Amino acid sequence: MGIDDGAFKNVSSIKGIELPSTIKNIGGYAFYGSSIREIVIPSSVGFNVGDNAFKGCRLLVAADINSNHISKGMFQDCESLTKTTISDTTNELKIKSCVYTS
């Protein structure tokens, strides 16, 4: 079970999403340019996030992800992203701000 490539591309009605552990992948550009403001990605085994999955989500302010889920261009052009939690099996990092340049 997963989210297809471009599934929510440019959708303006999505504000936040917490994915269930049954989701095993997010396709490339899945949320590209959408109005999503918060995303929680579970630490599911075998979970894969496609390149540029959240690229251009200019309203995205918070993301909670596992370090194994980071992909190329994942948060590129997410200029409002200020609350990011990146965790792994042994440590948890809290990043106060991120600057992404293209």
Side-chain angles (χ1 to χ4, degrees), residues 29 31-34 36 49-60 63 70-81 84 98-102:
Y29 296 91
F31 292 91
Y32 175 85
S34 73
I36 194 166
V49 178
D51 291 347
N52 304 299
F54 301 97
K55 182 178 180 176
C57 293
R58 298 193 188 284
L59 300 176
L60 183 65
I70 296 172
S71 62
K72 180 181 174 186
M74 185 175 190
F75 295 117
Q76 184 175 346
D77 299 328
C78 295
E79 52 202 38
S80 298
L81 186 60
T84 306
C98 298
V99 177
Y100 297 93
T101 58
S102 52

Side-chain angles (χ1 to χ4, degrees), residues 9 14 21-23 32 40 48 56-57 62 72 74 81 89 97:
K9 184 177 180 179
I14 298 175
S21 60
T22 55
I23 297 290
Y32 175 85
V40 176
N48 181 44
C57 293
K72 180 181 174 186
M74 185 175 190
L81 186 60
T89 56
S97 64

